[in-house]
């Protein structure tokens, strides 16, 4: 659901009035975004059913927004409504050799909820009613979340949370407790403090989730003052299998720095954005493409 929300939002942000306009996205696009073409355990019909279910998930979520108003930004309230509206599903059929029709593809017609009028409204952002910010959505993040969430749910949650953290804040050094509560829930962290077996299990899961992030290119640096080597994951600093007494409380107080993969190149994006905001000479070039070039690139 989180991945589909990000995909819808990326499409909607390219529209002038997304709360009024409909966007159309097909199963092949979603399959490519989420890396589902590598799912060899499902045939074409099963993949289509899975894609249809995934598309419906964010459309079941409702929101109520009350913006208190800060500075020049106006106070507003958005009554409860759907985050996304699934306006319709178009099924594409093909006849087999026996003359029977089979679904071979789907196109989904989606429209953003009323929230988009306030958060994806270019005219309003120019009046400073809401802070405007462009972000980067890496296709590799979507693929990583889809490949991880069933067996490494904590790592998947961290990836989505850190996507926003890395683009909304320059503060990259984060307490382990904060990250654990994001990954596993605050209650589970509190329960682990009182239960030795749960404590060991949760710490092992945490270590494995950090390794999963590292394997997918996330840059991890342990704070030298708070994150001692003897409580770091065995793949990073710890050599002794046994952890020291009282390790869990030390771990919760430890801090570490997690940055997105270098391939996302967020730093260059921030630098360009700041230069433009400051009236610098940085310009965004517009590339003119012919119809045949666009078709070739879309096919690729």
């Amino acid at each position: 659901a989180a991945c589909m929300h990000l995909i819808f939002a990326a499409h909607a942000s390219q529209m002038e009035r997304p709360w009024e306009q409909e966007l159309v996205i097909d199963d092949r696009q979603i399959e490519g975004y989420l890396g589902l073409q590598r799912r060899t355990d499902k045939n074409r019909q099963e993949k289509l059913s899975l894609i249809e279910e995934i598309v419906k998930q964010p459309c079941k979520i409702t929101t109520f927004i009350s913006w208190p108003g800060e500075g020049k930004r106006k106070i507003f309230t958005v009554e409860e409504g759907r985050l996304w509206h699934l306006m319709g599903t178009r099924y594409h059929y093909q006849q087999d050799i026996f003359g029977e029709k089979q679904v071979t593809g789907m196109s989904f017609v989606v429209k953003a909820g009323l929230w988009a009028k306030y958060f994806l409204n270019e005219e309003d952002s120019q009046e400073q009613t809401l802070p405007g910010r462009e972000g980067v959505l890496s296709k590799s993040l979507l693929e990583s979340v889809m490949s991880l969430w069933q067996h490494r749910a904590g790592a998947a949650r961290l990836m989505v949370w850190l996507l926003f953290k890395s683009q909304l804040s320059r503060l990259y050094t984060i307490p382990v407790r904060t990250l654990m509560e994001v990954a596993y829930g605050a209650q589970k962290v509190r329960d682990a403090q009182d239960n030795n077996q749960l404590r060991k299990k949760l710490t092992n899961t945490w270590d494995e989730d950090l390794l999963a992030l590292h394997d997918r290119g996330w840059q991890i640096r342990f704070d030298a003052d708070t994150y001692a080597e003897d409580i770091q994951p065995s793949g990073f600093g710890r050599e002794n299998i046994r952890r020291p007494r009282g390790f869990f409380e030390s771990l919760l107080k430890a801090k570490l720095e997690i940055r997105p993969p270098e391939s996302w190149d967020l730093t260059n994006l921030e630098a360009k954005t700041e230069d433009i905001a400051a009236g610098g000479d940085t310009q965004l070039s517009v590339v003119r493409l012919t119809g045949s070039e666009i078709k070739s690139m879309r096919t690729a």
Side-chain angles (χ1 to χ4, degrees):
C3 287
M4 280 310 308
H5 168 64
L6 293 173
I7 292 169
F8 288 162
H11 279 261
S13 66
Q14 306 303 309
M15 304 167 74
E16 289 186 7
R17 301 173 71 85
W19 59 95
E20 293 178 351
Q21 298 168 276
E22 296 175 347
L23 64 90
V24 180
I25 185 168
D26 63 41
D27 62 280
R28 293 291 185 183
Q29 289 173 288
I30 295 168
E31 187 178 40
Y33 290 142
L34 302 180
L36 294 175
Q37 67 271 26
R38 291 193 289 273
R39 288 287 298 271
T40 56
D41 60 317
K42 293 186 179 297
N43 61 33
R44 180 66 183 152
Q45 299 304 313
E46 290 171 333
K47 280 186 182 179
L48 287 173
S49 295
L50 174 62
I51 289 170
E52 187 172 23
E53 176 56 34
I54 290 173
V55 167
K56 289 178 180 178
Q57 287 181 7
C59 301
K60 296 176 182 177
I61 298 171
T62 62
T63 62
F64 170 80
I65 302 169
S66 179
W67 186 264
E70 297 175 16
K72 295 181 180 179
R73 298 168 201 147
K74 302 171 185 175
I75 298 172
F76 68 86
T77 299
V78 181
E79 63 184 25
E80 185 173 3
R82 293 195 181 276
L83 189 64
W84 298 96
H85 299 278
L86 181 58
M87 309 302 289
T89 303
R90 301 168 185 167
Y91 298 95
H92 311 298
Y93 297 93
Q94 190 172 9
Q95 271 189 339
D96 60 20
I97 57 174
F98 303 106
E100 295 180 0
K101 288 185 177 180
Q102 278 194 327
V103 178
T104 56
M106 298 176 183
S107 296
F108 305 96
V109 183
V110 181
K111 189 170 74 171
L114 190 57
W115 60 270
K117 186 175 182 180
Y118 299 90
F119 293 94
L120 294 179
N121 190 333
E122 191 172 339
E123 293 178 4
D124 275 2
S125 65
Q126 290 172 355
E127 295 174 7
Q128 295 186 339
T129 55
L130 278 176
R133 177 178 288 270
E134 291 185 354
V136 172
L137 174 59
S138 171
K139 185 169 176 284
S140 64
L141 176 124
L142 299 174
E143 293 177 346
S144 293
V145 170
M146 290 301 293
S147 64
L148 275 175
W149 74 269
Q150 286 182 303
H151 58 285
R152 296 249 67 89
R157 292 191 193 102
L158 285 173
M159 283 182 181
V160 177
W161 188 81
L162 287 165
L163 167 71
F164 292 99
K165 183 68 176 176
S166 62
Q167 297 184 43
L168 295 176
S169 171
R170 292 184 173 278
L171 183 63
Y172 290 103
T173 303
I174 308 168
V176 169
R177 181 171 199 132
T178 299
L179 293 170
M180 276 193 170
E181 289 178 351
V182 169
Y184 317 117
Q187 186 59 51
K188 185 171 283 189
V189 174
R190 288 193 294 269
D191 292 344
Q193 290 181 279
D194 302 323
N195 186 304
N196 185 46
Q197 291 302 315
L198 184 57
R199 196 157 50 237
K200 291 179 180 177
K201 183 178 179 181
L202 192 65
T203 306
N204 288 337
T205 301
W206 166 253
D207 288 353
E208 291 164 4
D209 285 342
L210 283 185
L211 288 169
L213 289 173
H214 178 266
D215 290 344
R216 282 159 178 78
W218 290 76
Q219 305 164 71
I220 299 174
R221 188 181 68 81
F222 300 97
D223 181 62
D225 297 327
T226 60
Y227 213 133
E229 285 190 5
D230 57 0
I231 61 173
Q232 292 177 16
S234 57
F236 289 94
R238 181 166 55 91
E239 296 181 359
N240 191 347
I241 297 176
R242 294 180 63 86
R243 299 183 180 94
R245 184 180 294 274
F247 73 91
F248 194 69
E249 290 303 321
S250 299
L251 181 62
L252 293 180
K253 295 175 183 175
K255 296 180 180 179
L256 75 165
E257 181 182 290
I258 304 182
R259 291 176 179 266
E262 290 182 348
S263 60
W264 291 18
D265 204 20
L266 298 179
T267 307
N268 286 348
L269 177 75
E270 289 175 0
K272 289 177 183 177
T273 305
E274 287 172 2
D275 199 10
I276 293 169
D281 296 330
T282 303
Q283 293 182 345
L284 300 179
S285 59
V286 177
V287 180
R288 306 285 181 189
L289 298 173
T290 64
S292 59
E293 288 174 324
I294 293 172
K295 183 178 179 180
S296 175
M297 292 172 69
R298 283 177 59 84
T299 303

